[in-house]
PDB file of all heavy atoms in Angstrom:
ATOM      1  N   THR A   1     124.036 126.247  90.753  1.00  0.00           N
ATOM      2  CA  THR A   1     124.747 127.415  90.206  1.00  0.00           C
ATOM      3  C   THR A   1     123.942 128.696  90.409  1.00  0.00           C
ATOM      4  O   THR A   1     124.523 129.776  90.541  1.00  0.00           O
ATOM      5  CB  THR A   1     125.041 127.232  88.706  1.00  0.00           C
ATOM      6  OG1 THR A   1     123.806 127.160  87.968  1.00  0.00           O
ATOM      7  CG2 THR A   1     125.848 125.976  88.450  1.00  0.00           C
ATOM      8  N   LEU A   2     122.618 128.592  90.441  1.00  0.00           N
ATOM      9  CA  LEU A   2     121.761 129.773  90.579  1.00  0.00           C
ATOM     10  C   LEU A   2     121.464 130.116  92.036  1.00  0.00           C
ATOM     11  O   LEU A   2     121.010 131.233  92.332  1.00  0.00           O
ATOM     12  CB  LEU A   2     120.425 129.542  89.848  1.00  0.00           C
ATOM     13  CG  LEU A   2     120.485 129.394  88.327  1.00  0.00           C
ATOM     14  CD1 LEU A   2     119.115 129.004  87.783  1.00  0.00           C
ATOM     15  CD2 LEU A   2     120.955 130.698  87.681  1.00  0.00           C
ATOM     16  N   LEU A   3     121.711 129.180  92.927  1.00  0.00           N
ATOM     17  CA  LEU A   3     121.351 129.367  94.328  1.00  0.00           C
ATOM     18  C   LEU A   3     122.170 130.491  94.960  1.00  0.00           C
ATOM     19  O   LEU A   3     123.385 130.536  94.791  1.00  0.00           O
ATOM     20  CB  LEU A   3     121.590 128.057  95.083  1.00  0.00           C
ATOM     21  CG  LEU A   3     120.706 127.716  96.281  1.00  0.00           C
ATOM     22  CD1 LEU A   3     119.252 127.569  95.846  1.00  0.00           C
ATOM     23  CD2 LEU A   3     121.188 126.424  96.939  1.00  0.00           C
ATOM     24  N   PRO A   4     121.538 131.412  95.683  1.00  0.00           N
ATOM     25  CA  PRO A   4     122.296 132.504  96.313  1.00  0.00           C
ATOM     26  C   PRO A   4     123.064 132.030  97.542  1.00  0.00           C
ATOM     27  O   PRO A   4     122.733 131.003  98.143  1.00  0.00           O
ATOM     28  CB  PRO A   4     121.201 133.501  96.714  1.00  0.00           C
ATOM     29  CG  PRO A   4     119.982 132.666  96.912  1.00  0.00           C
ATOM     30  CD  PRO A   4     120.084 131.545  95.909  1.00  0.00           C
ATOM     31  N   GLU A   5     124.065 132.792  97.923  1.00  0.00           N
ATOM     32  CA  GLU A   5     124.798 132.476  99.139  1.00  0.00           C
ATOM     33  C   GLU A   5     123.950 132.836 100.354  1.00  0.00           C
ATOM     34  O   GLU A   5     123.215 133.821 100.350  1.00  0.00           O
ATOM     35  CB  GLU A   5     126.131 133.241  99.186  1.00  0.00           C
ATOM     36  CG  GLU A   5     127.145 132.754  98.167  1.00  0.00           C
ATOM     37  CD  GLU A   5     128.527 133.362  98.375  1.00  0.00           C
ATOM     38  OE1 GLU A   5     128.690 134.099  99.374  1.00  0.00           O
ATOM     39  OE2 GLU A   5     129.415 133.107  97.556  1.00  0.00           O
ATOM     40  N   GLY A   6     124.070 132.015 101.407  1.00  0.00           N
ATOM     41  CA  GLY A   6     123.320 132.274 102.626  1.00  0.00           C
ATOM     42  C   GLY A   6     123.388 131.094 103.566  1.00  0.00           C
ATOM     43  O   GLY A   6     123.789 129.990 103.177  1.00  0.00           O
ATOM     44  N   GLU A   7     122.995 131.348 104.803  1.00  0.00           N
ATOM     45  CA  GLU A   7     122.972 130.294 105.809  1.00  0.00           C
ATOM     46  C   GLU A   7     121.772 129.375 105.582  1.00  0.00           C
ATOM     47  O   GLU A   7     120.791 129.746 104.923  1.00  0.00           O
ATOM     48  CB  GLU A   7     122.894 130.907 107.215  1.00  0.00           C
ATOM     49  CG  GLU A   7     124.091 131.763 107.584  1.00  0.00           C
ATOM     50  CD  GLU A   7     125.388 130.962 107.591  1.00  0.00           C
ATOM     51  OE1 GLU A   7     125.365 129.819 108.090  1.00  0.00           O
ATOM     52  OE2 GLU A   7     126.405 131.460 107.091  1.00  0.00           O
ATOM     53  N   ALA A   8     121.844 128.183 106.143  1.00  0.00           N
ATOM     54  CA  ALA A   8     120.738 127.231 106.034  1.00  0.00           C
ATOM     55  C   ALA A   8     119.511 127.775 106.755  1.00  0.00           C
ATOM     56  O   ALA A   8     119.615 128.392 107.817  1.00  0.00           O
ATOM     57  CB  ALA A   8     121.153 125.888 106.627  1.00  0.00           C
ATOM     58  N   TYR A   9     118.351 127.550 106.185  1.00  0.00           N
ATOM     59  CA  TYR A   9     117.097 127.991 106.794  1.00  0.00           C
ATOM     60  C   TYR A   9     116.585 126.994 107.828  1.00  0.00           C
ATOM     61  O   TYR A   9     115.852 127.368 108.746  1.00  0.00           O
ATOM     62  CB  TYR A   9     116.026 128.180 105.710  1.00  0.00           C
ATOM     63  CG  TYR A   9     116.265 129.375 104.820  1.00  0.00           C
ATOM     64  CD1 TYR A   9     116.940 129.237 103.605  1.00  0.00           C
ATOM     65  CD2 TYR A   9     115.828 130.633 105.188  1.00  0.00           C
ATOM     66  CE1 TYR A   9     117.151 130.336 102.782  1.00  0.00           C
ATOM     67  CE2 TYR A   9     116.039 131.740 104.375  1.00  0.00           C
ATOM     68  CZ  TYR A   9     116.701 131.577 103.173  1.00  0.00           C
ATOM     69  OH  TYR A   9     116.916 132.660 102.368  1.00  0.00           O
ATOM     70  N   TYR A  10     116.933 125.730 107.659  1.00  0.00           N
ATOM     71  CA  TYR A  10     116.447 124.672 108.540  1.00  0.00           C
ATOM     72  C   TYR A  10     117.629 123.821 109.001  1.00  0.00           C
ATOM     73  O   TYR A  10     118.662 123.767 108.324  1.00  0.00           O
ATOM     74  CB  TYR A  10     115.428 123.776 107.803  1.00  0.00           C
ATOM     75  CG  TYR A  10     114.184 124.510 107.363  1.00  0.00           C
ATOM     76  CD1 TYR A  10     114.125 125.135 106.103  1.00  0.00           C
ATOM     77  CD2 TYR A  10     113.074 124.591 108.185  1.00  0.00           C
ATOM     78  CE1 TYR A  10     112.987 125.809 105.696  1.00  0.00           C
ATOM     79  CE2 TYR A  10     111.922 125.259 107.787  1.00  0.00           C
ATOM     80  CZ  TYR A  10     111.881 125.869 106.540  1.00  0.00           C
ATOM     81  OH  TYR A  10     110.755 126.541 106.138  1.00  0.00           O
ATOM     82  N   PRO A  11     117.487 123.133 110.146  1.00  0.00           N
ATOM     83  CA  PRO A  11     118.541 122.209 110.576  1.00  0.00           C
ATOM     84  C   PRO A  11     118.859 121.205 109.475  1.00  0.00           C
ATOM     85  O   PRO A  11     117.950 120.737 108.765  1.00  0.00           O
ATOM     86  CB  PRO A  11     117.928 121.521 111.805  1.00  0.00           C
ATOM     87  CG  PRO A  11     116.946 122.508 112.340  1.00  0.00           C
ATOM     88  CD  PRO A  11     116.377 123.208 111.128  1.00  0.00           C
ATOM     89  N   LYS A  12     120.131 120.852 109.331  1.00  0.00           N
ATOM     90  CA  LYS A  12     120.567 120.006 108.218  1.00  0.00           C
ATOM     91  C   LYS A  12     120.050 118.566 108.308  1.00  0.00           C
ATOM     92  O   LYS A  12     120.090 117.830 107.322  1.00  0.00           O
ATOM     93  CB  LYS A  12     122.098 119.998 108.147  1.00  0.00           C
ATOM     94  CG  LYS A  12     122.712 121.306 107.623  1.00  0.00           C
ATOM     95  CD  LYS A  12     122.404 121.518 106.150  1.00  0.00           C
ATOM     96  CE  LYS A  12     123.172 122.686 105.567  1.00  0.00           C
ATOM     97  NZ  LYS A  12     124.480 122.385 105.076  1.00  0.00           N
ATOM     98  N   ASP A  13     119.571 118.146 109.486  1.00  0.00           N
ATOM     99  CA  ASP A  13     119.078 116.770 109.613  1.00  0.00           C
ATOM    100  C   ASP A  13     117.577 116.669 109.346  1.00  0.00           C
ATOM    101  O   ASP A  13     116.988 115.593 109.465  1.00  0.00           O
ATOM    102  CB  ASP A  13     119.397 116.196 110.994  1.00  0.00           C
ATOM    103  CG  ASP A  13     118.796 117.018 112.127  1.00  0.00           C
ATOM    104  OD1 ASP A  13     118.291 118.131 111.849  1.00  0.00           O
ATOM    105  OD2 ASP A  13     118.830 116.557 113.278  1.00  0.00           O
ATOM    106  N   GLU A  14     116.925 117.780 108.958  1.00  0.00           N
ATOM    107  CA  GLU A  14     115.495 117.746 108.667  1.00  0.00           C
ATOM    108  C   GLU A  14     115.264 117.480 107.187  1.00  0.00           C
ATOM    109  O   GLU A  14     116.078 117.828 106.337  1.00  0.00           O
ATOM    110  CB  GLU A  14     114.830 119.065 109.080  1.00  0.00           C
ATOM    111  CG  GLU A  14     114.735 119.249 110.586  1.00  0.00           C
ATOM    112  CD  GLU A  14     113.909 120.459 110.972  1.00  0.00           C
ATOM    113  OE1 GLU A  14     113.316 121.100 110.062  1.00  0.00           O
ATOM    114  OE2 GLU A  14     113.855 120.779 112.177  1.00  0.00           O
ATOM    115  N   LEU A  15     114.104 116.864 106.899  1.00  0.00           N
ATOM    116  CA  LEU A  15     113.737 116.534 105.522  1.00  0.00           C
ATOM    117  C   LEU A  15     112.615 117.431 105.004  1.00  0.00           C
ATOM    118  O   LEU A  15     112.526 117.716 103.813  1.00  0.00           O
ATOM    119  CB  LEU A  15     113.313 115.066 105.432  1.00  0.00           C
ATOM    120  CG  LEU A  15     112.870 114.526 104.072  1.00  0.00           C
ATOM    121  CD1 LEU A  15     114.019 114.579 103.079  1.00  0.00           C
ATOM    122  CD2 LEU A  15     112.355 113.094 104.204  1.00  0.00           C
ATOM    123  N   THR A  16     111.751 117.891 105.916  1.00  0.00           N
ATOM    124  CA  THR A  16     110.596 118.669 105.519  1.00  0.00           C
ATOM    125  C   THR A  16     110.125 119.520 106.684  1.00  0.00           C
ATOM    126  O   THR A  16     110.543 119.318 107.828  1.00  0.00           O
ATOM    127  CB  THR A  16     109.445 117.742 105.053  1.00  0.00           C
ATOM    128  OG1 THR A  16     108.311 118.539 104.656  1.00  0.00           O
ATOM    129  CG2 THR A  16     109.031 116.794 106.165  1.00  0.00           C
ATOM    130  N   ASP A  17     109.237 120.468 106.381  1.00  0.00           N
ATOM    131  CA  ASP A  17     108.660 121.309 107.435  1.00  0.00           C
ATOM    132  C   ASP A  17     107.358 120.734 107.985  1.00  0.00           C
ATOM    133  O   ASP A  17     106.807 121.244 108.952  1.00  0.00           O
ATOM    134  CB  ASP A  17     108.393 122.711 106.890  1.00  0.00           C
ATOM    135  CG  ASP A  17     107.300 122.715 105.823  1.00  0.00           C
ATOM    136  OD1 ASP A  17     107.241 121.752 105.026  1.00  0.00           O
ATOM    137  OD2 ASP A  17     106.512 123.679 105.769  1.00  0.00           O
ATOM    138  N   LYS A  18     106.845 119.671 107.376  1.00  0.00           N
ATOM    139  CA  LYS A  18     105.550 119.124 107.766  1.00  0.00           C
ATOM    140  C   LYS A  18     105.679 118.112 108.912  1.00  0.00           C
ATOM    141  O   LYS A  18     106.714 117.468 109.080  1.00  0.00           O
ATOM    142  CB  LYS A  18     104.873 118.456 106.568  1.00  0.00           C
ATOM    143  CG  LYS A  18     104.541 119.417 105.427  1.00  0.00           C
ATOM    144  CD  LYS A  18     103.580 120.500 105.865  1.00  0.00           C
ATOM    145  CE  LYS A  18     103.184 121.406 104.708  1.00  0.00           C
ATOM    146  NZ  LYS A  18     102.335 122.534 105.138  1.00  0.00           N
ATOM    147  N   SER A  19     104.573 117.950 109.640  1.00  0.00           N
ATOM    148  CA  SER A  19     104.556 117.055 110.799  1.00  0.00           C
ATOM    149  C   SER A  19     104.254 115.623 110.391  1.00  0.00           C
ATOM    150  O   SER A  19     103.817 115.347 109.267  1.00  0.00           O
ATOM    151  CB  SER A  19     103.482 117.521 111.797  1.00  0.00           C
ATOM    152  OG  SER A  19     102.184 117.358 111.231  1.00  0.00           O
ATOM    153  N   GLU A  20     104.458 114.713 111.330  1.00  0.00           N
ATOM    154  CA  GLU A  20     104.129 113.301 111.084  1.00  0.00           C
ATOM    155  C   GLU A  20     102.639 113.138 110.793  1.00  0.00           C
ATOM    156  O   GLU A  20     102.236 112.364 109.924  1.00  0.00           O
ATOM    157  CB  GLU A  20     104.534 112.463 112.297  1.00  0.00           C
ATOM    158  CG  GLU A  20     106.040 112.419 112.532  1.00  0.00           C
ATOM    159  CD  GLU A  20     106.393 111.766 113.859  1.00  0.00           C
ATOM    160  OE1 GLU A  20     105.620 111.936 114.829  1.00  0.00           O
ATOM    161  OE2 GLU A  20     107.440 111.108 113.927  1.00  0.00           O
ATOM    162  N   ARG A  21     101.813 113.888 111.511  1.00  0.00           N
ATOM    163  CA  ARG A  21     100.365 113.802 111.315  1.00  0.00           C
ATOM    164  C   ARG A  21      99.978 114.234 109.900  1.00  0.00           C
ATOM    165  O   ARG A  21      99.063 113.664 109.295  1.00  0.00           O
ATOM    166  CB  ARG A  21      99.635 114.670 112.338  1.00  0.00           C
ATOM    167  CG  ARG A  21      99.739 114.137 113.772  1.00  0.00           C
ATOM    168  CD  ARG A  21      98.923 114.981 114.728  1.00  0.00           C
ATOM    169  NE  ARG A  21      99.042 114.490 116.093  1.00  0.00           N
ATOM    170  CZ  ARG A  21      98.030 114.381 116.941  1.00  0.00           C
ATOM    171  NH1 ARG A  21      96.818 114.725 116.548  1.00  0.00           N
ATOM    172  NH2 ARG A  21      98.214 113.942 118.167  1.00  0.00           N
ATOM    173  N   PHE A  22     100.668 115.251 109.376  1.00  0.00           N
ATOM    174  CA  PHE A  22     100.367 115.706 108.022  1.00  0.00           C
ATOM    175  C   PHE A  22     100.582 114.582 107.010  1.00  0.00           C
ATOM    176  O   PHE A  22      99.738 114.353 106.136  1.00  0.00           O
ATOM    177  CB  PHE A  22     101.254 116.904 107.661  1.00  0.00           C
ATOM    178  CG  PHE A  22     101.099 117.349 106.233  1.00  0.00           C
ATOM    179  CD1 PHE A  22     100.060 118.170 105.853  1.00  0.00           C
ATOM    180  CD2 PHE A  22     102.000 116.928 105.256  1.00  0.00           C
ATOM    181  CE1 PHE A  22      99.908 118.583 104.535  1.00  0.00           C
ATOM    182  CE2 PHE A  22     101.858 117.324 103.944  1.00  0.00           C
ATOM    183  CZ  PHE A  22     100.801 118.159 103.575  1.00  0.00           C
ATOM    184  N   PHE A  23     101.686 113.866 107.114  1.00  0.00           N
ATOM    185  CA  PHE A  23     101.974 112.809 106.145  1.00  0.00           C
ATOM    186  C   PHE A  23     101.027 111.630 106.288  1.00  0.00           C
ATOM    187  O   PHE A  23     100.670 110.996 105.303  1.00  0.00           O
ATOM    188  CB  PHE A  23     103.436 112.382 106.249  1.00  0.00           C
ATOM    189  CG  PHE A  23     104.380 113.420 105.723  1.00  0.00           C
ATOM    190  CD1 PHE A  23     105.147 114.186 106.572  1.00  0.00           C
ATOM    191  CD2 PHE A  23     104.462 113.676 104.368  1.00  0.00           C
ATOM    192  CE1 PHE A  23     105.986 115.168 106.095  1.00  0.00           C
ATOM    193  CE2 PHE A  23     105.303 114.660 103.873  1.00  0.00           C
ATOM    194  CZ  PHE A  23     106.063 115.409 104.737  1.00  0.00           C
ATOM    195  N   VAL A  24     100.596 111.350 107.502  1.00  0.00           N
ATOM    196  CA  VAL A  24      99.573 110.320 107.691  1.00  0.00           C
ATOM    197  C   VAL A  24      98.293 110.722 106.961  1.00  0.00           C
ATOM    198  O   VAL A  24      97.700 109.918 106.227  1.00  0.00           O
ATOM    199  CB  VAL A  24      99.299 110.087 109.189  1.00  0.00           C
ATOM    200  CG1 VAL A  24      98.053 109.210 109.377  1.00  0.00           C
ATOM    201  CG2 VAL A  24     100.490 109.434 109.860  1.00  0.00           C
ATOM    202  N   SER A  25      97.858 111.963 107.150  1.00  0.00           N
ATOM    203  CA  SER A  25      96.623 112.422 106.502  1.00  0.00           C
ATOM    204  C   SER A  25      96.752 112.403 104.985  1.00  0.00           C
ATOM    205  O   SER A  25      95.802 112.052 104.267  1.00  0.00           O
ATOM    206  CB  SER A  25      96.255 113.829 106.994  1.00  0.00           C
ATOM    207  OG  SER A  25      97.212 114.786 106.568  1.00  0.00           O
ATOM    208  N   GLU A  26      97.935 112.751 104.456  1.00  0.00           N
ATOM    209  CA  GLU A  26      98.137 112.742 103.013  1.00  0.00           C
ATOM    210  C   GLU A  26      98.138 111.328 102.439  1.00  0.00           C
ATOM    211  O   GLU A  26      97.622 111.091 101.347  1.00  0.00           O
ATOM    212  CB  GLU A  26      99.457 113.445 102.664  1.00  0.00           C
ATOM    213  CG  GLU A  26      99.395 114.954 102.790  1.00  0.00           C
ATOM    214  CD  GLU A  26      98.532 115.592 101.716  1.00  0.00           C
ATOM    215  OE1 GLU A  26      99.042 115.905 100.631  1.00  0.00           O
ATOM    216  OE2 GLU A  26      97.319 115.768 101.985  1.00  0.00           O
ATOM    217  N   ILE A  27      98.687 110.379 103.172  1.00  0.00           N
ATOM    218  CA  ILE A  27      98.672 108.983 102.707  1.00  0.00           C
ATOM    219  C   ILE A  27      97.236 108.471 102.650  1.00  0.00           C
ATOM    220  O   ILE A  27      96.837 107.812 101.679  1.00  0.00           O
ATOM    221  CB  ILE A  27      99.539 108.099 103.633  1.00  0.00           C
ATOM    222  CG1 ILE A  27     101.020 108.420 103.429  1.00  0.00           C
ATOM    223  CG2 ILE A  27      99.272 106.613 103.366  1.00  0.00           C
ATOM    224  CD1 ILE A  27     101.948 107.782 104.454  1.00  0.00           C
ATOM    225  N   ILE A  28      96.445 108.781 103.665  1.00  0.00           N
ATOM    226  CA  ILE A  28      95.039 108.353 103.669  1.00  0.00           C
ATOM    227  C   ILE A  28      94.289 109.006 102.509  1.00  0.00           C
ATOM    228  O   ILE A  28      93.519 108.351 101.799  1.00  0.00           O
ATOM    229  CB  ILE A  28      94.369 108.701 105.014  1.00  0.00           C
ATOM    230  CG1 ILE A  28      95.028 107.933 106.162  1.00  0.00           C
ATOM    231  CG2 ILE A  28      92.867 108.390 104.964  1.00  0.00           C
ATOM    232  CD1 ILE A  28      94.649 108.412 107.542  1.00  0.00           C
ATOM    233  N   ARG A  29      94.509 110.299 102.299  1.00  0.00           N
ATOM    234  CA  ARG A  29      93.821 111.015 101.215  1.00  0.00           C
ATOM    235  C   ARG A  29      94.222 110.470  99.846  1.00  0.00           C
ATOM    236  O   ARG A  29      93.399 110.380  98.925  1.00  0.00           O
ATOM    237  CB  ARG A  29      94.115 112.510 101.309  1.00  0.00           C
ATOM    238  CG  ARG A  29      93.232 113.364 100.408  1.00  0.00           C
ATOM    239  CD  ARG A  29      93.364 114.837 100.738  1.00  0.00           C
ATOM    240  NE  ARG A  29      94.704 115.325 100.443  1.00  0.00           N
ATOM    241  CZ  ARG A  29      95.086 115.745  99.239  1.00  0.00           C
ATOM    242  NH1 ARG A  29      94.234 115.736  98.224  1.00  0.00           N
ATOM    243  NH2 ARG A  29      96.313 116.181  99.049  1.00  0.00           N
ATOM    244  N   GLU A  30      95.495 110.080  99.708  1.00  0.00           N
ATOM    245  CA  GLU A  30      95.949 109.478  98.454  1.00  0.00           C
ATOM    246  C   GLU A  30      95.161 108.212  98.144  1.00  0.00           C
ATOM    247  O   GLU A  30      94.739 107.993  96.997  1.00  0.00           O
ATOM    248  CB  GLU A  30      97.438 109.159  98.545  1.00  0.00           C
ATOM    249  CG  GLU A  30      97.986 108.474  97.295  1.00  0.00           C
ATOM    250  CD  GLU A  30      99.422 108.018  97.479  1.00  0.00           C
ATOM    251  OE1 GLU A  30      99.682 107.282  98.444  1.00  0.00           O
ATOM    252  OE2 GLU A  30     100.263 108.400  96.661  1.00  0.00           O
ATOM    253  N   LYS A  31      94.932 107.370  99.149  1.00  0.00           N
ATOM    254  CA  LYS A  31      94.194 106.132  98.930  1.00  0.00           C
ATOM    255  C   LYS A  31      92.740 106.402  98.558  1.00  0.00           C
ATOM    256  O   LYS A  31      92.143 105.667  97.760  1.00  0.00           O
ATOM    257  CB  LYS A  31      94.270 105.233 100.173  1.00  0.00           C
ATOM    258  CG  LYS A  31      95.688 104.892 100.593  1.00  0.00           C
ATOM    259  CD  LYS A  31      96.553 104.416  99.436  1.00  0.00           C
ATOM    260  CE  LYS A  31      98.009 104.282  99.837  1.00  0.00           C
ATOM    261  NZ  LYS A  31      98.895 104.090  98.669  1.00  0.00           N
ATOM    262  N   ILE A  32      92.176 107.466  99.118  1.00  0.00           N
ATOM    263  CA  ILE A  32      90.811 107.835  98.752  1.00  0.00           C
ATOM    264  C   ILE A  32      90.756 108.322  97.308  1.00  0.00           C
ATOM    265  O   ILE A  32      89.851 107.980  96.552  1.00  0.00           O
ATOM    266  CB  ILE A  32      90.272 108.897  99.731  1.00  0.00           C
ATOM    267  CG1 ILE A  32      90.062 108.266 101.111  1.00  0.00           C
ATOM    268  CG2 ILE A  32      88.967 109.511  99.221  1.00  0.00           C
ATOM    269  CD1 ILE A  32      89.731 109.230 102.215  1.00  0.00           C
ATOM    270  N   LEU A  33      91.742 109.109  96.900  1.00  0.00           N
ATOM    271  CA  LEU A  33      91.809 109.565  95.508  1.00  0.00           C
ATOM    272  C   LEU A  33      91.905 108.387  94.536  1.00  0.00           C
ATOM    273  O   LEU A  33      91.350 108.430  93.434  1.00  0.00           O
ATOM    274  CB  LEU A  33      93.005 110.493  95.322  1.00  0.00           C
ATOM    275  CG  LEU A  33      92.826 111.938  95.795  1.00  0.00           C
ATOM    276  CD1 LEU A  33      94.175 112.610  95.972  1.00  0.00           C
ATOM    277  CD2 LEU A  33      91.966 112.723  94.797  1.00  0.00           C
ATOM    278  N   LEU A  34      92.614 107.344  94.948  1.00  0.00           N
ATOM    279  CA  LEU A  34      92.825 106.190  94.069  1.00  0.00           C
ATOM    280  C   LEU A  34      91.641 105.224  94.059  1.00  0.00           C
ATOM    281  O   LEU A  34      91.453 104.490  93.089  1.00  0.00           O
ATOM    282  CB  LEU A  34      94.086 105.433  94.494  1.00  0.00           C
ATOM    283  CG  LEU A  34      95.413 106.180  94.286  1.00  0.00           C
ATOM    284  CD1 LEU A  34      96.562 105.413  94.930  1.00  0.00           C
ATOM    285  CD2 LEU A  34      95.684 106.411  92.805  1.00  0.00           C
ATOM    286  N   ASN A  35      90.829 105.233  95.118  1.00  0.00           N
ATOM    287  CA  ASN A  35      89.768 104.230  95.250  1.00  0.00           C
ATOM    288  C   ASN A  35      88.368 104.737  94.935  1.00  0.00           C
ATOM    289  O   ASN A  35      87.452 103.934  94.765  1.00  0.00           O
ATOM    290  CB  ASN A  35      89.766 103.653  96.665  1.00  0.00           C
ATOM    291  CG  ASN A  35      90.845 102.598  96.867  1.00  0.00           C
ATOM    292  OD1 ASN A  35      90.682 101.438  96.494  1.00  0.00           O
ATOM    293  ND2 ASN A  35      91.970 103.008  97.432  1.00  0.00           N
ATOM    294  N   TYR A  36      88.186 106.062  94.850  1.00  0.00           N
ATOM    295  CA  TYR A  36      86.852 106.614  94.601  1.00  0.00           C
ATOM    296  C   TYR A  36      86.886 107.493  93.358  1.00  0.00           C
ATOM    297  O   TYR A  36      87.950 107.926  92.926  1.00  0.00           O
ATOM    298  CB  TYR A  36      86.361 107.413  95.816  1.00  0.00           C
ATOM    299  CG  TYR A  36      86.260 106.578  97.077  1.00  0.00           C
ATOM    300  CD1 TYR A  36      87.351 106.466  97.927  1.00  0.00           C
ATOM    301  CD2 TYR A  36      85.086 105.903  97.406  1.00  0.00           C
ATOM    302  CE1 TYR A  36      87.280 105.703  99.084  1.00  0.00           C
ATOM    303  CE2 TYR A  36      84.997 105.139  98.564  1.00  0.00           C
ATOM    304  CZ  TYR A  36      86.101 105.038  99.401  1.00  0.00           C
ATOM    305  OH  TYR A  36      86.032 104.269 100.533  1.00  0.00           O
ATOM    306  N   HIS A  37      85.707 107.771  92.820  1.00  0.00           N
ATOM    307  CA  HIS A  37      85.623 108.460  91.537  1.00  0.00           C
ATOM    308  C   HIS A  37      84.750 109.707  91.629  1.00  0.00           C
ATOM    309  O   HIS A  37      84.149 109.998  92.661  1.00  0.00           O
ATOM    310  CB  HIS A  37      85.075 107.503  90.470  1.00  0.00           C
ATOM    311  CG  HIS A  37      85.864 106.228  90.365  1.00  0.00           C
ATOM    312  ND1 HIS A  37      87.132 106.175  89.834  1.00  0.00           N
ATOM    313  CD2 HIS A  37      85.563 104.958  90.749  1.00  0.00           C
ATOM    314  CE1 HIS A  37      87.592 104.924  89.882  1.00  0.00           C
ATOM    315  NE2 HIS A  37      86.659 104.174  90.435  1.00  0.00           N
ATOM    316  N   GLN A  38      84.679 110.403  90.518  1.00  0.00           N
ATOM    317  CA  GLN A  38      83.886 111.620  90.354  1.00  0.00           C
ATOM    318  C   GLN A  38      84.268 112.655  91.415  1.00  0.00           C
ATOM    319  O   GLN A  38      85.441 112.896  91.655  1.00  0.00           O
ATOM    320  CB  GLN A  38      82.388 111.268  90.372  1.00  0.00           C
ATOM    321  CG  GLN A  38      82.003 110.359  89.202  1.00  0.00           C
ATOM    322  CD  GLN A  38      80.552 109.966  89.206  1.00  0.00           C
ATOM    323  OE1 GLN A  38      79.874 110.031  90.217  1.00  0.00           O
ATOM    324  NE2 GLN A  38      80.061 109.536  88.059  1.00  0.00           N
ATOM    325  N   GLU A  39      83.283 113.256  92.073  1.00  0.00           N
ATOM    326  CA  GLU A  39      83.549 114.388  92.964  1.00  0.00           C
ATOM    327  C   GLU A  39      83.937 113.947  94.374  1.00  0.00           C
ATOM    328  O   GLU A  39      84.520 114.737  95.126  1.00  0.00           O
ATOM    329  CB  GLU A  39      82.304 115.289  93.034  1.00  0.00           C
ATOM    330  CG  GLU A  39      82.468 116.574  93.827  1.00  0.00           C
ATOM    331  CD  GLU A  39      83.468 117.552  93.215  1.00  0.00           C
ATOM    332  OE1 GLU A  39      83.838 117.373  92.032  1.00  0.00           O
ATOM    333  OE2 GLU A  39      83.860 118.493  93.918  1.00  0.00           O
TER     334      GLU A  39
END
């Protein structure tokens, strides 16, 4: 209801602006966050 009128900013078949490599790096970093402690 609050969204303004306008054309789509991205192709309708896309899910995100990030690359495949970005999500790979984030998955690896998530596992490090879960397996290690302190700093």
Side-chain angles (χ1 to χ4, degrees):
T1 64
L2 295 173
L3 211 62
E5 290 189 4
E7 297 298 318
Y9 289 94
Y10 297 89
K12 287 291 189 87
D13 59 350
E14 289 188 6
L15 179 63
T16 180
D17 67 323
K18 297 299 184 185
S19 67
E20 294 171 326
R21 291 184 181 223
F22 174 82
F23 289 106
V24 169
S25 67
E26 286 290 272
I27 289 170
I28 296 168
R29 192 169 66 85
E30 178 187 55
K31 303 312 171 192
I32 291 171
L33 281 162
L34 293 172
N35 281 279
Y36 300 90
H37 305 289
Q38 297 179 340
E39 185 65 15

